[in-house]
Amino acid sequence: MDPRFTEALTPFLKFLNGQEIDPQASLRGYGLDSMQAIELLFALEDAFEVTLPDDAMNDATFATADALWRAVSEALEAQHGGAGTTTAAVA
């Protein structure tokens, strides 16, 4: 996951409590609710200058950080040819 992704995601996870984001953990378990998911979507689209496709707007995409990062990565690849992506682990 890109560090910009982690930076954008972290403020929406009220139960993260300073821990590292587990890419496979439930974002709902970290405190992300449906209203915040919409705000997070806008933050990610701004940070990465992409638009996530309508078919990515579902519970599965927002289930885990890993699933959400895959959606952002796919949008980057489709819209920018992968420019600026990285697969580094969350720090």
Side-chain angles (χ1 to χ4, degrees):
M1 283 185 262
D2 188 296
R4 295 175 295 164
F5 176 78
T6 305
E7 282 181 30
L9 179 58
T10 299
F12 295 93
L13 306 179
K14 60 186 170 195
F15 301 139
L16 188 58
N17 298 325
Q19 300 173 351
E20 290 183 16
I21 297 171
D22 176 349
Q24 300 303 319
S26 165
L27 292 179
R28 287 199 184 273
Y30 282 138
L32 184 70
D33 63 32
S34 58
M35 292 302 291
Q36 290 174 315
I38 294 167
E39 292 177 34
L40 173 58
L41 168 68
F42 294 139
L44 291 172
E45 289 182 336
D46 287 346
F48 290 95
E49 298 179 353
V50 297
T51 301
L52 272 64
D54 289 342
D55 63 349
M57 301 304 113
N58 58 56
D59 288 339
T61 298
F62 288 87
T64 66
D66 187 53
L68 185 54
W69 173 242
R70 278 194 311 267
V72 171
S73 295
E74 289 170 7
L76 278 168
E77 183 66 34
Q79 295 168 32
H80 300 287
T85 62
T86 180
T87 57
V90 174

